Amino acid sequence: MNFKLNSSNQLVVFSLIKGVTLTIKREDEIHPYISGNKYRKLKYNLLAAKEQGLNTLLTFGGAYSNHIAATASAGLEFGFKTIGIIRGDELAGKVAENPTLSFAQKCGMEFKFISREAYREKSSPEFITNLKNKFSDFYLLPEGGTNDLAIKGCEEILTKKDKDFDYICTPVGTGGTIAGIINATSSIQKVLGFSSLKGDFLKKEIAKRTSKNNWSLITDYHFGGYGKTSNELIAFINKFKEETNIPLDPVYTGKMLFGLVDLIQKDYFKKESEILAIHTGGLQGIDGMNKRLKQKGLVTIK
Ligand SMILES: *Cc1c(COP(=O)(O)O)cnc(C)c1O
């Protein structure tokens, strides 16, 4: 297995009016399909699966999951069979209409669609035993890919050079990525997580996964919750791309950058602050989001 990054893992710097510098780490460009933090989260898990002699990966996700797309693609590239347990039994006959699921299927992923109620029980021992009976032996990746090995992989997002930044910013879903990033910072750096979900239960989740406390969770930019958007957010994503050439996804990185720009404008950061924002990827989700926005007659992502 080869986990080399391609050479376009570039940084882009913007000097902003407020005297702070914002640098974007293009983790979205480390692989064409196994994007951003999902690549980092899979790396040591795939190595562990190989070591354990398991050649099937089984995981969970929603209809537009970046983790499902990344796992399917990694399976194809590194020689694993992949099984996706997908939330929503109504999706069963609709794979062709869903860009994420059709991509995963093309990569060879086999699906099992389950109801939302059943999905809630997915971590229970009974549920896992049933899966073992149905699919025989597999390496289990949790929803969103977060486990200890995923956090270890996310520690590699930051390099020595990144120690010079005052702030490191990342979107937050399950909290695995930020935990790895926090572990890799020095204690004089501050990590800001921008939550894509409503509520601040994630604070506890993150605290469980790191012993350091040089971080905060920003909860003001979820736009109504996971997967929810607004015209204002979409307009921001389009303007950002127009001005910087950097595409953002509507679920994670768009919300983070919207929040960051807002906080800079509100003088949240001291003058001369140097900020590093991690572009965690997720661009595969744009097509699916645009389909839904179009159906509602709303502005789409360019
Ligand atoms: C999954 C994902 C996240 C969230 O990562 P967690 O480790 O679950 O917090 C952030 N950004 C993108 C693009 C993602 O796909």
Side-chain angles (χ1 to χ4, degrees), residues 37-38 41 66-67 144 146 154 170-178 249 252-253 280-282:
N37 64 342
K38 299 305 184 281
K41 291 168 113 176
N66 295 328
H67 170 66
T146 293
C154 288
T170 181
V172 177
T174 62
T177 303
I178 192 172
D249 83 294
Y252 294 106
T253 55
T280 43

Side-chain angles (χ1 to χ4, degrees), residues 73-88:
S73 178
L76 182 66
E77 183 161 338
F78 300 116
F80 293 94
K81 204 177 150 228
T82 52
I83 298 165
I85 312 296
I86 309 295
R87 182 181 63 226

Side-chain angles (χ1 to χ4, degrees), residues 26-251:
R26 298 294 304 273
E27 285 281 298
D28 58 312
E29 296 193 327
I30 61 177
H31 187 282
Y33 302 113
I34 316 170
S35 178
N37 64 342
K38 299 305 184 281
Y39 187 106
R40 304 291 187 179
K41 291 168 113 176
L42 284 168
K43 175 180 168 182
Y44 289 107
N45 278 295
L46 265 52
L47 290 168
K50 279 257 147 106
E51 240 169 58
Q52 292 166 27
L54 296 169
N55 56 15
T56 300
L57 307 171
L58 181 142
T59 196
F60 309 90
Y64 302 97
S65 164
N66 295 328
H67 170 66
I68 288 290
T71 303
S73 178
L76 182 66
E77 183 161 338
F78 300 116
F80 293 94
K81 204 177 150 228
T82 52
I83 298 165
I85 312 296
I86 309 295
R87 182 181 63 226
D89 39 10
E90 77 282 359
L91 293 162
K94 297 186 180 157
V95 171
E97 300 162 32
N98 179 304
T100 300
L101 295 179
S102 356
F103 170 79
Q105 193 170 56
K106 261 186 231 133
C107 294
M109 184 175 263
E110 181 186 332
F111 298 127
K112 179 177 161 64
F113 296 94
I114 62 175
S115 70
R116 276 146 228 274
E117 298 80 68
Y119 193 84
R120 256 175 252 131
E121 302 303 313
K122 66 184 176 304
S123 309
S124 75
E126 296 89 332
F127 192 86
I128 305 292
T129 307
N130 281 340
L131 289 174
K132 289 248 147 107
N133 292 336
K134 186 167 158 58
F135 296 111
S136 77
D137 258 0
F138 51 76
Y139 186 90
L140 185 112
L141 295 159
E143 183 181 37
T146 293
N147 58 15
D148 290 346
L149 290 177
I151 292 172
K152 179 178 167 187
C154 288
E155 290 171 7
E156 296 175 357
I157 292 173
L158 295 183
T159 60
K160 268 208 188 101
K161 276 195 199 143
D162 299 329
K163 294 267 186 222
D164 293 337
F165 289 98
D166 303 304
Y167 291 90
I168 315 286
C169 299
T170 181
V172 177
T174 62
T177 303
I178 192 172
I181 288 173
I182 294 166
N183 289 346
T185 53
S186 74
S187 51
I188 55 166
Q189 293 182 296
K190 179 94 195 242
V191 181
L192 297 182
F194 290 77
S195 183
S196 291
L197 286 74
K198 219 181 343 220
D200 61 3
F201 67 96
L202 273 172
K203 265 185 201 153
K204 273 196 202 125
E205 287 301 307
I206 298 168
K208 264 191 245 165
R209 296 182 185 281
T210 179
S211 53
K212 293 163 90 169
N213 50 21
N214 58 329
W215 58 276
S216 307
L217 185 69
I218 312 253
T219 54
D220 301 327
Y221 302 100
H222 56 68
F223 289 84
Y226 184 75
K228 301 275 196 307
T229 66
S230 73
N231 283 336
E232 195 187 11
L233 176 66
I234 304 299
F236 172 83
I237 289 172
N238 286 338
K239 184 161 168 265
F240 192 84
K241 186 172 173 194
E242 218 175 274
E243 290 181 1
T244 66
N245 257 329
I246 300 176
L248 301 173
D249 83 294
V251 181

